Amino acid sequence: MSRLFQGAGISACALLAAGLLFPGSAQAEVNFKGKTIQIIAPFKESGGTARYSRLWQKYLQEYLPGKPTVLVIFKPGGSGITGANWFEKNAKTDGTNLIALSSSSHTSYLFGGKKVRYKMLTWRPIVLSPMGSEFYARTDIGVKGKNIVEDIKALQNADVVSGGKNPTSAELRGYIAYDLLGLKNIKYVFGLDSGDRRKAVLRKELNLSYDTAGSFAGKSMKYVKKGVIAHFMSLGYVSADNKLVRDPAFPNVPNVAEAYKAVYGKEPSGPAWQALKHLIYISVMSSKSLFLPAGASDEVLNTYLSTIKTIMKQPDFKKVAEKELGGYEQTLGKEAAVQLKEAIDISPETKAWIAQFLKKKFDFNMM
Protein backbone atom coordinates (compact mmCIF):
# COMPACT_ATOMS: atom_id res chain seq x y z
CA MET A 1 0.00 0.00 0.00
CA SER A 2 1.20 3.50 -0.75
CA ARG A 3 1.90 5.83 2.13
CA LEU A 4 0.93 8.88 0.08
CA PHE A 5 -0.27 11.70 2.33
CA GLN A 6 -0.78 9.32 5.24
CA GLY A 7 1.84 10.80 7.55
CA ALA A 8 3.19 7.34 8.37
CA GLY A 9 6.93 6.99 8.82
CA ILE A 10 9.08 4.43 7.04
CA SER A 11 11.39 2.37 9.21
CA ALA A 12 15.12 2.21 8.62
CA CYS A 13 14.79 -1.55 8.13
CA ALA A 14 12.20 -1.06 5.40
CA LEU A 15 14.37 1.49 3.64
CA LEU A 16 17.40 -0.77 3.90
CA ALA A 17 15.45 -3.67 2.45
CA ALA A 18 14.32 -1.48 -0.43
CA GLY A 19 17.89 -0.40 -1.09
CA LEU A 20 17.07 3.22 -0.35
CA LEU A 21 19.34 3.94 2.62
CA PHE A 22 22.47 5.85 1.76
CA PRO A 23 25.65 5.74 3.79
CA GLY A 24 26.94 8.71 5.71
CA SER A 25 29.06 11.34 4.08
CA ALA A 26 32.21 10.57 6.09
CA GLN A 27 33.75 8.49 3.31
CA ALA A 28 36.58 9.84 1.17
CA GLU A 29 35.58 12.17 -1.63
CA VAL A 30 36.16 11.30 -5.26
CA ASN A 31 38.43 13.79 -7.04
CA PHE A 32 37.46 14.71 -10.61
CA LYS A 33 40.60 16.66 -11.50
CA GLY A 34 41.24 16.48 -15.25
CA LYS A 35 37.88 14.75 -15.86
CA THR A 36 35.02 15.80 -18.12
CA ILE A 37 31.55 15.29 -16.71
CA GLN A 38 28.52 15.04 -18.98
CA ILE A 39 25.02 15.96 -17.88
CA ILE A 40 22.64 14.23 -20.29
CA ALA A 41 19.55 16.34 -20.97
CA PRO A 42 17.04 14.16 -22.86
CA PHE A 43 15.15 17.12 -24.30
CA LYS A 44 15.83 19.96 -26.70
CA GLU A 45 18.23 22.81 -25.99
CA SER A 46 15.50 25.13 -24.74
CA GLY A 47 12.96 24.63 -22.00
CA GLY A 48 12.98 23.78 -18.34
CA THR A 49 15.29 20.75 -18.38
CA ALA A 50 17.90 22.67 -20.39
CA ARG A 51 17.85 25.54 -17.87
CA TYR A 52 18.01 23.10 -14.97
CA SER A 53 20.98 21.27 -16.50
CA ARG A 54 22.87 24.49 -17.14
CA LEU A 55 22.20 25.67 -13.60
CA TRP A 56 23.92 22.64 -12.10
CA GLN A 57 26.58 22.67 -14.82
CA LYS A 58 27.85 26.05 -13.70
CA TYR A 59 28.07 25.24 -10.01
CA LEU A 60 29.25 21.62 -10.24
CA GLN A 61 32.12 22.76 -12.41
CA GLU A 62 33.17 25.17 -9.69
CA TYR A 63 32.55 23.13 -6.55
CA LEU A 64 33.13 19.45 -7.38
CA PRO A 65 36.53 18.25 -6.08
CA GLY A 66 39.15 18.80 -8.76
CA LYS A 67 37.05 21.39 -10.62
CA PRO A 68 36.27 19.21 -13.67
CA THR A 69 34.91 20.39 -16.98
CA VAL A 70 31.13 19.92 -16.98
CA LEU A 71 29.21 19.73 -20.26
CA VAL A 72 25.49 19.50 -21.01
CA ILE A 73 24.78 16.98 -23.78
CA PHE A 74 21.33 17.15 -25.38
CA LYS A 75 19.76 13.90 -26.57
CA PRO A 76 16.13 14.76 -27.39
CA GLY A 77 13.46 12.45 -28.70
CA GLY A 78 10.52 10.34 -27.61
CA SER A 79 9.47 12.70 -24.81
CA GLY A 80 12.76 12.03 -23.04
CA ILE A 81 12.87 8.28 -23.71
CA THR A 82 15.70 8.40 -26.29
CA GLY A 83 18.18 10.10 -23.97
CA ALA A 84 17.15 8.02 -20.96
CA ASN A 85 17.62 4.80 -22.94
CA TRP A 86 21.09 6.00 -23.96
CA PHE A 87 21.92 6.77 -20.33
CA GLU A 88 20.79 3.32 -19.18
CA LYS A 89 23.00 1.59 -21.74
CA ASN A 90 26.06 3.84 -21.88
CA ALA A 91 26.46 5.89 -18.69
CA LYS A 92 29.73 5.41 -16.83
CA THR A 93 29.46 4.68 -13.12
CA ASP A 94 32.52 6.69 -12.10
CA GLY A 95 30.56 9.93 -11.66
CA THR A 96 31.35 11.39 -15.07
CA ASN A 97 27.82 10.81 -16.42
CA LEU A 98 24.67 12.33 -14.92
CA ILE A 99 21.16 12.72 -16.30
CA ALA A 100 18.75 15.60 -15.71
CA LEU A 101 15.07 14.71 -15.85
CA SER A 102 11.72 16.48 -15.75
CA SER A 103 8.24 15.30 -14.81
CA SER A 104 7.72 14.47 -18.49
CA SER A 105 10.51 11.90 -18.12
CA HIS A 106 8.58 10.17 -15.33
CA THR A 107 5.31 9.97 -17.26
CA SER A 108 7.22 8.70 -20.31
CA TYR A 109 8.81 6.03 -18.10
CA LEU A 110 5.41 4.90 -16.84
CA PHE A 111 3.47 5.03 -20.08
CA GLY A 112 6.06 4.70 -22.85
CA GLY A 113 5.55 0.97 -23.23
CA LYS A 114 8.12 -1.08 -25.11
CA LYS A 115 10.08 2.02 -26.11
CA VAL A 116 11.26 2.36 -22.50
CA ARG A 117 14.43 0.35 -21.93
CA TYR A 118 15.66 2.04 -18.77
CA LYS A 119 15.03 1.27 -15.09
CA MET A 120 14.70 4.59 -13.31
CA LEU A 121 14.26 3.10 -9.85
CA THR A 122 17.73 1.55 -10.11
CA TRP A 123 19.35 4.95 -10.76
CA ARG A 124 20.82 6.85 -7.82
CA PRO A 125 19.07 10.18 -7.27
CA ILE A 126 21.23 13.10 -6.22
CA VAL A 127 18.61 15.83 -5.96
CA LEU A 128 14.90 16.27 -6.65
CA SER A 129 13.74 19.83 -7.25
CA PRO A 130 10.06 20.52 -6.48
CA MET A 131 8.03 23.04 -8.44
CA GLY A 132 4.36 23.83 -7.96
CA SER A 133 1.65 23.43 -10.60
CA GLU A 134 -0.68 26.42 -10.94
CA PHE A 135 -4.08 26.25 -12.67
CA TYR A 136 -5.62 29.25 -14.36
CA ALA A 137 -8.51 30.07 -16.68
CA ARG A 138 -9.73 33.00 -18.69
CA THR A 139 -12.00 35.26 -16.70
CA ASP A 140 -14.42 35.63 -19.62
CA ILE A 141 -15.76 32.11 -18.94
CA GLY A 142 -16.71 33.07 -15.39
CA VAL A 143 -13.64 32.03 -13.39
CA LYS A 144 -12.59 34.84 -11.03
CA GLY A 145 -10.13 33.24 -8.61
CA LYS A 146 -12.05 34.45 -5.54
CA ASN A 147 -14.37 31.55 -4.69
CA ILE A 148 -13.26 28.04 -5.60
CA VAL A 149 -16.79 26.59 -5.60
CA GLU A 150 -18.04 29.24 -8.00
CA ASP A 151 -14.93 28.81 -10.16
CA ILE A 152 -15.33 25.03 -10.48
CA LYS A 153 -19.04 25.40 -11.26
CA ALA A 154 -18.20 27.97 -13.94
CA LEU A 155 -15.75 25.51 -15.49
CA GLN A 156 -18.29 22.68 -15.29
CA ASN A 157 -20.80 24.79 -17.22
CA ALA A 158 -18.50 26.47 -19.75
CA ASP A 159 -17.26 25.32 -23.14
CA VAL A 160 -13.75 24.55 -21.96
CA VAL A 161 -10.76 24.13 -24.27
CA SER A 162 -7.44 22.97 -22.85
CA GLY A 163 -4.36 21.26 -24.24
CA GLY A 164 -0.89 19.80 -23.96
CA LYS A 165 1.83 17.91 -25.78
CA ASN A 166 0.07 14.53 -25.92
CA PRO A 167 -2.18 12.33 -23.75
CA THR A 168 0.69 10.92 -21.65
CA SER A 169 2.82 14.03 -21.32
CA ALA A 170 3.33 15.93 -18.06
CA GLU A 171 -0.06 17.57 -18.66
CA LEU A 172 -1.68 14.29 -17.54
CA ARG A 173 -1.75 15.90 -14.08
CA GLY A 174 -4.23 18.41 -15.44
CA TYR A 175 -6.35 15.95 -17.39
CA ILE A 176 -7.00 13.78 -14.32
CA ALA A 177 -7.47 16.77 -11.99
CA TYR A 178 -10.12 18.22 -14.31
CA ASP A 179 -11.93 14.88 -14.50
CA LEU A 180 -11.81 14.47 -10.71
CA LEU A 181 -13.40 17.89 -10.29
CA GLY A 182 -16.24 17.07 -12.68
CA LEU A 183 -15.07 18.90 -15.81
CA LYS A 184 -16.29 16.21 -18.18
CA ASN A 185 -16.79 18.06 -21.46
CA ILE A 186 -13.39 19.53 -22.22
CA LYS A 187 -12.04 19.80 -25.74
CA TYR A 188 -8.32 19.03 -25.83
CA VAL A 189 -5.77 20.33 -28.34
CA PHE A 190 -2.45 18.48 -28.53
CA GLY A 191 0.98 19.39 -29.86
CA LEU A 192 1.37 22.34 -27.48
CA ASP A 193 4.22 22.89 -25.06
CA SER A 194 3.93 25.21 -22.06
CA GLY A 195 4.81 28.35 -24.01
CA ASP A 196 2.37 27.45 -26.77
CA ARG A 197 -0.40 26.90 -24.23
CA ARG A 198 0.24 30.22 -22.55
CA LYS A 199 0.06 32.10 -25.84
CA ALA A 200 -3.03 30.18 -26.94
CA VAL A 201 -4.85 31.22 -23.76
CA LEU A 202 -4.04 34.86 -24.44
CA ARG A 203 -5.31 34.46 -28.05
CA LYS A 204 -8.55 32.91 -26.67
CA GLU A 205 -7.82 29.60 -28.43
CA LEU A 206 -7.65 27.89 -25.03
CA ASN A 207 -9.42 29.03 -21.88
CA LEU A 208 -8.04 26.62 -19.25
CA SER A 209 -4.42 25.71 -18.59
CA TYR A 210 -1.72 25.31 -15.96
CA ASP A 211 1.92 26.26 -15.59
CA THR A 212 4.77 25.60 -13.21
CA ALA A 213 4.91 28.02 -10.31
CA GLY A 214 8.11 29.63 -11.55
CA SER A 215 6.85 30.24 -15.07
CA PHE A 216 3.45 31.35 -13.81
CA ALA A 217 4.97 33.92 -11.48
CA GLY A 218 7.32 35.22 -14.15
CA LYS A 219 5.17 35.10 -17.26
CA SER A 220 1.48 34.87 -16.36
CA MET A 221 0.94 36.80 -13.15
CA LYS A 222 0.81 40.10 -15.02
CA TYR A 223 -2.26 38.83 -16.88
CA VAL A 224 -3.90 37.98 -13.54
CA LYS A 225 -3.35 41.59 -12.49
CA LYS A 226 -4.86 42.76 -15.79
CA GLY A 227 -7.94 40.60 -15.21
CA VAL A 228 -7.41 38.45 -18.31
CA ILE A 229 -6.90 35.20 -16.43
CA ALA A 230 -7.65 33.98 -12.90
CA HIS A 231 -5.38 31.78 -10.79
CA PHE A 232 -7.93 29.54 -9.07
CA MET A 233 -6.08 26.41 -7.86
CA SER A 234 -2.74 24.66 -7.41
CA LEU A 235 -1.95 20.97 -7.43
CA GLY A 236 -0.58 21.36 -3.90
CA TYR A 237 2.64 20.37 -2.15
CA VAL A 238 3.56 17.39 0.04
CA SER A 239 4.77 18.53 3.45
CA ALA A 240 7.54 16.90 5.50
CA ASP A 241 4.91 14.94 7.45
CA ASN A 242 3.38 13.57 4.24
CA LYS A 243 0.29 15.77 4.07
CA LEU A 244 -0.97 17.62 1.01
CA VAL A 245 -0.81 21.32 1.80
CA ARG A 246 -1.00 24.53 -0.19
CA ASP A 247 1.80 25.42 -2.55
CA PRO A 248 4.34 27.45 -0.51
CA ALA A 249 4.79 29.80 -3.47
CA PHE A 250 1.06 30.65 -3.51
CA PRO A 251 -0.30 30.02 0.00
CA ASN A 252 -3.53 31.93 -0.64
CA VAL A 253 -4.62 29.59 -3.45
CA PRO A 254 -6.47 26.33 -2.60
CA ASN A 255 -4.95 23.01 -3.63
CA VAL A 256 -6.82 20.41 -5.68
CA ALA A 257 -7.97 18.42 -2.61
CA GLU A 258 -9.37 21.58 -1.01
CA ALA A 259 -11.16 22.40 -4.26
CA TYR A 260 -12.74 18.95 -4.37
CA LYS A 261 -13.86 19.12 -0.74
CA ALA A 262 -15.30 22.60 -1.20
CA VAL A 263 -17.39 21.47 -4.17
CA TYR A 264 -18.42 17.98 -3.02
CA GLY A 265 -18.30 18.27 0.79
CA LYS A 266 -15.95 15.33 1.30
CA GLU A 267 -12.32 14.37 0.90
CA PRO A 268 -11.33 13.07 -2.53
CA SER A 269 -11.01 9.31 -2.88
CA GLY A 270 -11.19 6.55 -5.44
CA PRO A 271 -8.98 5.52 -8.37
CA ALA A 272 -8.77 8.98 -9.94
CA TRP A 273 -7.48 10.40 -6.66
CA GLN A 274 -5.00 7.54 -6.25
CA ALA A 275 -3.64 8.29 -9.72
CA LEU A 276 -3.49 12.02 -9.07
CA LYS A 277 -1.56 11.54 -5.83
CA HIS A 278 1.20 9.81 -7.77
CA LEU A 279 1.15 12.63 -10.30
CA ILE A 280 1.58 15.18 -7.51
CA TYR A 281 4.80 13.40 -6.56
CA ILE A 282 5.79 13.19 -10.23
CA SER A 283 4.89 16.69 -11.32
CA VAL A 284 5.43 18.75 -8.17
CA MET A 285 7.77 16.99 -5.77
CA SER A 286 10.14 15.70 -8.49
CA SER A 287 9.49 18.33 -11.13
CA LYS A 288 13.19 18.33 -12.05
CA SER A 289 15.89 15.90 -10.90
CA LEU A 290 19.51 14.89 -11.25
CA PHE A 291 20.68 11.25 -11.21
CA LEU A 292 23.74 9.04 -11.28
CA PRO A 293 23.40 5.70 -13.07
CA ALA A 294 22.84 2.37 -11.36
CA GLY A 295 26.15 1.02 -10.15
CA ALA A 296 27.63 4.37 -9.14
CA SER A 297 29.49 3.84 -5.88
CA ASP A 298 28.55 5.24 -2.48
CA GLU A 299 31.73 7.34 -2.59
CA VAL A 300 30.68 8.94 -5.90
CA LEU A 301 27.15 9.59 -4.68
CA ASN A 302 28.29 11.10 -1.40
CA THR A 303 30.76 13.33 -3.21
CA TYR A 304 27.88 14.76 -5.24
CA LEU A 305 25.65 15.09 -2.18
CA SER A 306 28.26 16.98 -0.19
CA THR A 307 28.98 19.18 -3.21
CA ILE A 308 25.29 20.01 -3.71
CA LYS A 309 25.00 20.90 -0.03
CA THR A 310 27.99 23.24 -0.38
CA ILE A 311 26.50 24.82 -3.50
CA MET A 312 23.17 25.45 -1.80
CA LYS A 313 24.91 27.48 0.91
CA GLN A 314 26.42 29.93 -1.57
CA PRO A 315 24.73 33.37 -1.56
CA ASP A 316 24.83 33.71 -5.35
CA PHE A 317 23.26 30.27 -5.79
CA LYS A 318 20.48 31.17 -3.39
CA LYS A 319 19.59 34.17 -5.56
CA VAL A 320 19.62 32.09 -8.75
CA ALA A 321 17.69 29.26 -7.12
CA GLU A 322 14.96 31.64 -6.00
CA LYS A 323 14.32 32.44 -9.65
CA GLU A 324 15.05 29.09 -11.32
CA LEU A 325 13.92 26.67 -8.59
CA GLY A 326 11.18 28.77 -7.05
CA GLY A 327 12.70 28.89 -3.58
CA TYR A 328 11.42 25.37 -2.78
CA GLU A 329 13.44 23.13 -0.48
CA GLN A 330 15.57 20.67 -2.45
CA THR A 331 15.35 16.95 -1.64
CA LEU A 332 18.62 15.01 -1.48
CA GLY A 333 19.86 11.44 -1.23
CA LYS A 334 17.74 8.92 0.64
CA GLU A 335 14.77 11.30 0.92
CA ALA A 336 14.92 11.80 -2.84
CA ALA A 337 14.92 8.03 -3.36
CA VAL A 338 11.82 7.65 -1.17
CA GLN A 339 9.97 10.41 -3.03
CA LEU A 340 10.92 8.94 -6.39
CA LYS A 341 9.48 5.60 -5.32
CA GLU A 342 6.25 7.31 -4.29
CA ALA A 343 6.12 8.92 -7.72
CA ILE A 344 6.69 6.03 -10.10
CA ASP A 345 6.13 2.82 -8.14
CA ILE A 346 2.48 2.67 -9.20
CA SER A 347 0.29 -0.32 -8.39
CA PRO A 348 -1.04 -2.45 -11.27
CA GLU A 349 -4.58 -1.38 -10.34
CA THR A 350 -3.79 2.34 -10.58
CA LYS A 351 -1.87 1.89 -13.80
CA ALA A 352 -4.81 -0.06 -15.26
CA TRP A 353 -7.16 2.76 -14.26
CA ILE A 354 -4.95 5.32 -15.99
CA ALA A 355 -4.85 3.15 -19.11
CA GLN A 356 -8.64 2.96 -19.09
CA PHE A 357 -8.88 6.72 -18.53
CA LEU A 358 -6.60 7.43 -21.50
CA LYS A 359 -8.55 5.05 -23.73
CA LYS A 360 -11.92 6.48 -22.79
CA LYS A 361 -10.89 10.13 -22.78
CA PHE A 362 -8.49 10.26 -25.73
CA ASP A 363 -8.84 6.87 -27.48
CA PHE A 364 -5.19 6.36 -26.58
CA ASN A 365 -3.87 2.85 -26.09
CA MET A 366 -0.95 2.40 -23.70
CA MET A 367 1.66 0.11 -25.21
Side-chain angles (χ1 to χ4, degrees):
M1 293 293 290
S2 172
R3 67 184 184 91
L4 290 161
F5 311 150
Q6 297 304 306
I10 293 183
S11 70
C13 292
L15 284 172
L16 184 61
L20 296 178
L21 274 184
F22 291 77
S25 57
Q27 302 177 45
E29 288 188 331
V30 176
N31 193 296
F32 293 104
K33 185 176 182 179
K35 302 286 187 179
T36 297
I37 292 172
Q38 296 181 339
I39 300 176
I40 306 303
F43 297 95
K44 59 185 180 180
E45 296 181 18
S46 60
T49 306
R51 293 195 304 273
Y52 186 74
S53 301
R54 290 181 178 124
L55 171 66
W56 290 120
Q57 174 193 24
K58 174 184 176 182
Y59 286 94
L60 288 173
Q61 190 163 255
E62 182 176 357
Y63 288 98
L64 274 172
K67 297 185 181 296
T69 299
V70 181
L71 304 176
V72 178
I73 307 298
F74 294 95
K75 294 184 179 294
S79 295
I81 293 175
T82 300
N85 283 342
W86 183 94
F87 187 77
E88 176 77 16
K89 182 178 180 181
N90 299 290
K92 297 177 181 179
T93 61
D94 62 356
T96 58
N97 284 145
L98 311 175
I99 190 167
L101 300 182
S102 72
S103 53
S104 293
S105 307
H106 303 326
T107 53
S108 294
Y109 172 75
L110 290 170
F111 310 120
K114 296 179 181 179
K115 296 178 182 178
V116 174
R117 295 188 294 275
Y118 55 96
K119 300 175 182 179
M120 192 183 298
L121 280 174
T122 68
W123 294 351
R124 308 204 73 178
I126 302 169
V127 56
L128 301 186
S129 299
M131 181 64 72
S133 295
E134 314 306 322
F135 291 87
Y136 62 95
R138 288 192 60 89
T139 55
D140 53 19
I141 62 171
V143 178
K144 305 302 180 184
K146 296 180 179 180
N147 183 298
I148 189 61
V149 174
E150 293 178 1
D151 288 340
I152 298 302
K153 288 182 177 179
L155 288 166
Q156 289 172 339
N157 295 322
D159 293 325
V160 176
V161 185
S162 189
K165 292 180 183 178
N166 56 62
T168 59
S169 64
E171 290 81 21
L172 183 61
R173 71 188 94 170
Y175 311 150
I176 293 180
Y178 302 151
D179 194 77
L180 178 75
L181 291 169
L183 282 61
K184 303 296 185 182
N185 298 310
I186 302 178
K187 177 182 177 181
Y188 288 98
V189 179
F190 293 117
L192 305 175
D193 63 20
S194 58
D196 295 330
R197 294 197 315 271
R198 195 180 303 114
K199 294 173 184 177
V201 169
L202 297 177
R203 293 194 299 263
K204 299 185 179 182
E205 296 164 357
L206 304 180
N207 50 30
L208 172 64
S209 191
Y210 85 94
D211 211 339
T212 62
S215 293
F216 186 81
K219 298 179 180 179
S220 299
M221 186 57 72
K222 59 185 176 182
Y223 297 105
V224 174
K225 295 177 180 178
K226 291 179 180 180
V228 176
I229 61 174
H231 181 199
F232 66 92
M233 183 181 75
S234 79
L235 208 53
Y237 183 88
V238 183
S239 65
D241 59 353
N242 253 354
K243 295 179 181 179
L244 187 67
V245 298
R246 292 189 173 189
D247 188 332
F250 295 98
N252 295 323
V253 178
N255 65 42
V256 64
E258 291 177 297
Y260 183 93
K261 186 174 182 180
V263 173
Y264 295 104
K266 59 183 180 180
E267 300 289 344
S269 61
W273 179 235
Q274 290 299 320
L276 190 58
K277 287 191 290 187
H278 281 287
L279 289 167
I280 291 170
Y281 268 101
I282 289 172
S283 302
V284 176
M285 304 311 295
S286 53
S287 176
K288 297 289 186 294
S289 46
L290 195 66
F291 289 83
L292 287 160
S297 69
D298 295 336
E299 290 80 6
V300 167
L301 176 59
N302 282 322
T303 297
Y304 273 96
L305 291 175
S306 63
T307 300
I308 294 291
K309 290 176 182 177
T310 298
I311 290 170
M312 291 193 301
K313 294 177 183 177
Q314 305 309 310
D316 60 327
F317 179 81
K318 291 179 180 179
K319 292 180 181 179
V320 173
E322 184 69 30
K323 178 180 179 182
E324 296 294 333
L325 304 178
Y328 295 90
E329 183 177 352
Q330 304 301 291
T331 308
L332 304 178
K334 65 180 182 182
E335 289 82 9
V338 170
Q339 287 201 4
L340 180 69
K341 188 173 177 64
E342 291 286 9
I344 61 177
D345 190 15
I346 294 181
S347 71
E349 294 79 10
T350 297
K351 197 166 185 177
W353 182 89
I354 294 173
Q356 185 180 35
F357 172 84
L358 292 170
K359 175 63 178 176
K360 181 179 179 181
K361 182 70 67 174
F362 306 116
D363 195 27
F364 179 89
N365 291 306
M366 286 174 55
M367 297 175 63

